[in-house]
Amino acid sequence: MAPSPDSAPPSRRPPPRQQALRTALIVLLLVAVAVAIAALRGAFGIGGGSRAGAIVDTMQANGLHAGFRRAHARGLCVSGRFIASGDAAPLSSAPLFQAGESPILGRLSIGGGSPVAPEAAAGVRSLALAITQPDGQQWRMAMNTPPVLGVGTPEAFHAQLQAMAPDPATGKPDPERVAAFQRAYPPNPALKAWQASYRPSDSWASTQYHSINAFVLVDDQGQRRPVRWAMVPEAPFAPLGEGPHTDDALSMEFQKRLAEGPVRWTLRLQLAEPGDPVDDGSRAWPESRRTVDAGIVELTAATAQDGGACNGLNFDPLVLPEGIEPSADPILHARRAAYAESLRRRARETFQETAP
Ligand code: HEM
């Protein structure tokens, strides 16, 4: 028999207002936890849900090459030394700028996510370096052939990747998506001008590379100067021959060249003046800006990246010694998370491949 309402025990439920408050608090707590997790994932570039994860997803959508970098997958490990002229020492407190030598571990590569793409035909060539100071601090940098980017924000960079991704049906970018991207982000005249003048050379050695993003040199007194830099080749320009080229033409050429002696570039810093666009890698600075030759990058050895010392290295451009700081360029900061995400994925795949 059902108990009569009179005999029912008194209700333990809190009054409705208190109950609503408690529910609201629980919801608030859950939202705060979700926001904190999302922020941490974003900050560390974890997972496909983060922007870095989404960018790297787009990069590998053209074809997953397990164990390889999601960008600049094809490359060669190199090593040598940085011979500082001392001329940049007044601009930065980093010891590597004082006249003397610091060892280099680096990587020459081509743009793109395929480790088997033909080297000579690549639209972008790259040089990445890790220079180690006597105190163990490192300056890592990853440079490309163009002096500017097509776009200035990570969102636009991602939209560009998406627009240029080959359509699975045709193997080519979808012209409508490309047109929509170009409507949203009209072609950058600075990049177009460079593209019109660029002729690929016969070698990674005779190619000039650029930091593109700006950094800030900090001197002993704490004075800050924004800079970009170029690696200016010592090897004279010779145009890339008509071919046919083997897929590993640049690697073979570089190895052959090294057998005859070291390959060198001048590290040329370009100093911004007030008003120059420091935080936007898509905008060039006037060529008339003061430059300082900080020293010579000299490469003396090259080995295949497979099993090579550079393979496990992440050339994160935000690994900087004291005396060099990042600019606020949002692309520079997005690079850190994307490189880390790429390293995480390829390291996991390599481990899975080699696990018993
Ligand atoms: C938002 C913009 C960019 C994104 C998302 C991006 C993403 C990536 C990723 C995921 C890698 C592979 C990292 C690894 O697994 O070790 C990579 C490598 C590289 N990136 Fe970028 N990148 C960006 C902009 C740039 C710019 C502006 C430059 C040149 C100034 C550059 C130069 C390079 C080079 C040279 C490498 C190869 C480094 C190596 O040899 O290991 N990237 N990039």
Side-chain angles (χ1 to χ4, degrees), residues 339-351:
Y339 290 31
E341 179 64 19
S342 170
L343 174 66
R344 219 179 340 266
R345 293 186 191 192
R346 61 191 176 90
R348 194 187 307 130
E349 292 153 0
T350 307
F351 174 73

Side-chain angles (χ1 to χ4, degrees), residues 3 20 53 84 95 113 151 153 162 189 191 206 219 243 265 284 318-319 340 344 351:
V151 292
T153 64
Q162 288 169 318
L191 182 62
S206 52
D219 70 16
W265 289 264
L318 296 189
V319 173
R344 219 179 340 266
F351 174 73

Side-chain angles (χ1 to χ4, degrees), residues 2-304:
S4 78
D6 290 344
S7 65
S11 164
R12 295 228 181 100
R13 278 198 177 166
R17 239 184 106 213
Q18 208 178 326
Q19 207 176 344
L21 198 70
R22 197 182 286 177
T23 312
L25 272 175
I26 292 171
V27 170
L28 255 176
L29 194 73
L30 288 174
V31 169
V33 169
V35 168
I37 291 173
L40 281 172
R41 286 165 72 90
F44 294 105
I46 298 167
S50 67
R51 183 166 61 205
I55 289 180
V56 174
D57 284 347
T58 308
M59 285 177 159
Q60 68 184 42
N62 300 338
L64 175 61
H65 300 279
F68 288 91
R69 285 169 166 81
R70 280 4 188 210
H72 304 260
R74 184 163 197 156
L76 198 61
C77 290
V78 289
S79 58
R81 57 188 179 151
F82 175 59
I83 308 156
S85 64
D87 291 350
L91 304 174
S92 166
S93 59
L96 60 82
F97 285 123
Q98 281 161 27
E101 290 180 15
S102 307
I104 285 181
L105 178 61
R107 187 168 173 270
L108 285 161
S109 64
I110 54 167
S114 167
V116 291
E119 293 173 345
V124 171
R125 293 179 186 171
S126 314
L127 172 62
L129 301 176
I131 306 178
T132 306
Q133 295 185 156
D135 65 3
Q137 290 191 70
Q138 274 193 354
W139 182 13
R140 295 192 190 174
M141 60 183 95
M143 299 159 287
N144 283 347
T145 29
V148 285
L149 289 170
V151 292
T153 64
E155 296 74 20
F157 185 88
H158 192 195
Q160 186 180 28
L161 282 178
Q162 288 169 318
M164 301 304 166
D167 180 340
T170 61
K172 291 187 184 142
D174 173 351
E176 278 182 25
R177 287 183 79 174
V178 174
F181 171 77
Q182 285 172 344
R183 276 194 301 278
Y185 302 100
N188 176 2
L191 182 62
K192 275 182 78 180
W194 176 82
Q195 282 165 334
S197 68
Y198 177 71
R199 283 191 306 150
S201 75
D202 62 337
S203 171
W204 268 314
S206 52
T207 299
Q208 179 161 319
Y209 305 92
H210 299 96
S211 72
I212 307 183
N213 302 120
F215 293 75
V216 180
L217 297 187
V218 186
D219 70 16
D220 291 335
Q221 281 73 46
Q223 193 176 336
R224 303 164 60 79
R225 294 180 185 85
V227 293
R228 289 174 175 163
W229 61 85
M231 292 289 168
V232 182
E234 179 187 84
F237 178 86
L240 181 69
E242 283 297 310
H245 302 284
T246 57
D247 284 357
D248 59 357
L250 293 184
S251 293
M252 289 296 117
E253 192 280 340
F254 197 79
Q255 301 265 22
K256 211 167 128 216
R257 191 182 282 257
L258 270 187
E260 283 155 28
V263 173
R264 300 189 184 91
W265 289 264
T266 296
L267 167 51
R268 182 159 298 161
L269 302 167
Q270 185 190 31
L271 277 70
E273 284 191 7
D276 285 344
V278 169
D279 300 333
D280 183 348
S282 68
R283 293 171 64 201
W285 299 347
E287 276 185 23
S288 55
R289 291 293 173 257
R290 185 184 152 210
T291 59
V292 174
D293 289 349
I296 301 290
V297 164
E298 181 181 86
L299 299 184
T300 46
T303 55

